[in-house]
Amino acid sequence: APWGGGLSASPTTGFALVTTFELRAHGWTDEESDLPLSYGFEFERFAGDAAITLADVQVVLALGDVTLVEGAGGSARVRVLDTYGASAFARIPLSVGLPPTLVCTELVALLEKAELRVLTGASSAAKQRLQALADAYGTQLASCDGGEVDAFAAGSNASLPIINRMLAVSADASASAISTQPSRRQSAGVLATVLVNSNTLNGAAQAEGGAQLAALAKQSAKGGGADDDTANALVRALGFVLVANTTRASAEQCIATLAAAVATAASLTRALVAGALAGEQVREALNPAVNVSAVRQSAASLANS
């Protein structure tokens, strides 16, 4: 496994959404036959919290243009892997305070920065901004005008909330990224934050959120399975989509949402089975509205059950 290295951050303190950080791994080495090394960067809001994936695993030592969610007692972490998958970790404190109070026009301007990063190929940075925006201002987003026309609402000037535009960015960012397990983990975490923190969904957002969940679950089923963080994020988001306080939903949107929920559950079951086969362990993802699980058992144990 890799050894001898560490991690640094610049700056070491800042604010959610508005401070840009750089994380840099340094000094890592391994046996020559185990090279090259690759690096996966994460953020933990507090000790024991699930790590937030910041980008796909990369061979570059540094990850710049990083935007984080609030975590006053947080820490940054790098996972260093050799060519055979053996890994080591380094962690440093990284304090991220609450962002300032912003009005809707300022939130739209921040979203436009995420849109720009998708256009320039920086899908991970775009997803970081979406997650930080939804985490800090989730309930406010439902009442902010995103500047897109709602064809279902009465009147040609009616517009959709900013969350619909955020979901469009989420879809574009996921589509522009290579579908790897870390990339899907990041996408699932971002989508769960955007959907759950919004508190209220219109019909279009509910249907679009469901469609994205179904697509991610399908990719996971085809791509070697879903890890625990991905599965739990998908189930958390799916549970909210199914019970969300929904406004302005057409019959077609309701049908599309239910179809997406069924597809998500089916694909996620296959993804968990793939993980159980690979890891020889019980895999389950639970939510008040959804319960999906998979376990590998021997023929003898099944015969005796």
Side-chain angles (χ1 to χ4, degrees):
W3 74 87
L7 174 66
S8 62
S10 177
T12 56
T13 62
F15 296 94
L17 192 61
V18 297
T19 301
T20 301
F21 297 89
E22 180 184 80
L23 305 178
R24 181 175 294 272
H26 54 81
W28 293 94
T29 189
D30 205 339
E31 301 294 339
E32 185 174 354
S33 60
D34 295 346
L35 300 176
L37 301 178
S38 54
Y39 306 86
F41 295 92
E42 300 171 335
F43 179 68
E44 295 176 347
R45 306 181 74 151
F46 53 84
D49 190 32
I52 296 172
T53 300
L54 300 177
D56 200 353
V57 174
Q58 60 185 47
V59 295
V60 181
L61 291 170
L63 181 66
D65 194 26
V66 175
T67 304
L68 299 172
V69 298
E70 181 271 333
S75 61
R77 187 173 79 165
V78 62
R79 181 186 183 193
V80 187
L81 303 97
D82 65 22
T83 191
Y84 296 105
S87 62
F89 295 87
R91 178 186 283 105
I92 57 169
L94 186 57
S95 179
V96 184
L98 289 169
T101 301
L102 300 177
V103 298
C104 288
T105 54
E106 292 171 309
L107 297 180
V108 171
L110 289 171
L111 178 58
E112 289 172 347
K113 292 183 178 180
E115 291 174 329
L116 178 61
R117 279 161 177 80
V118 174
L119 294 175
T120 57
S123 60
S124 292
K127 288 186 278 189
Q128 292 165 20
R129 278 158 179 74
L130 279 182
Q131 190 163 24
L133 183 61
D135 182 77
Y137 303 101
T139 55
Q140 185 179 343
L141 299 176
S143 60
C144 282
D145 181 1
E148 294 185 346
V149 173
D150 183 358
F152 181 69
S156 58
N157 294 325
S159 61
L160 290 171
I162 191 175
I163 185 175
N164 297 74
R165 193 166 167 184
M166 292 175 70
L167 287 170
V169 177
S170 170
D172 291 342
S174 295
S176 64
I178 298 173
S179 181
T180 64
Q181 193 170 83
S183 176
R184 293 192 298 270
R185 187 189 310 126
Q186 185 188 20
S187 294
V190 171
L191 191 54
T193 304
V194 170
L195 290 170
V196 175
N197 284 31
S198 67
N199 192 43
T200 301
L201 298 175
N202 54 68
Q206 188 182 35
E208 174 60 24
Q212 290 189 40
L213 291 172
L216 276 172
K218 184 177 181 179
Q219 290 171 10
S220 296
K222 291 184 175 181
D227 61 21
D228 291 339
D229 289 340
T230 302
N232 286 326
L234 290 175
V235 168
R236 183 164 66 97
L238 179 58
F240 176 76
V241 166
L242 289 173
V243 300
N245 179 17
T246 307
T247 62
R248 294 184 296 178
S250 67
E252 291 80 5
Q253 289 167 341
C254 292
I255 292 171
T257 299
L258 290 175
V262 172
T264 300
S267 293
L268 186 53
T269 300
R270 291 193 294 272
L272 288 171
V273 167
L277 292 174
E280 302 286 345
Q281 60 182 344
V282 175
R283 306 294 308 286
E284 63 179 5
L286 305 176
N287 181 278
V290 183
N291 183 340
V292 181
S293 63
V295 58
R296 182 178 184 180
Q297 292 180 289
S298 65
S301 65
L302 289 173
N304 295 327
S305 62

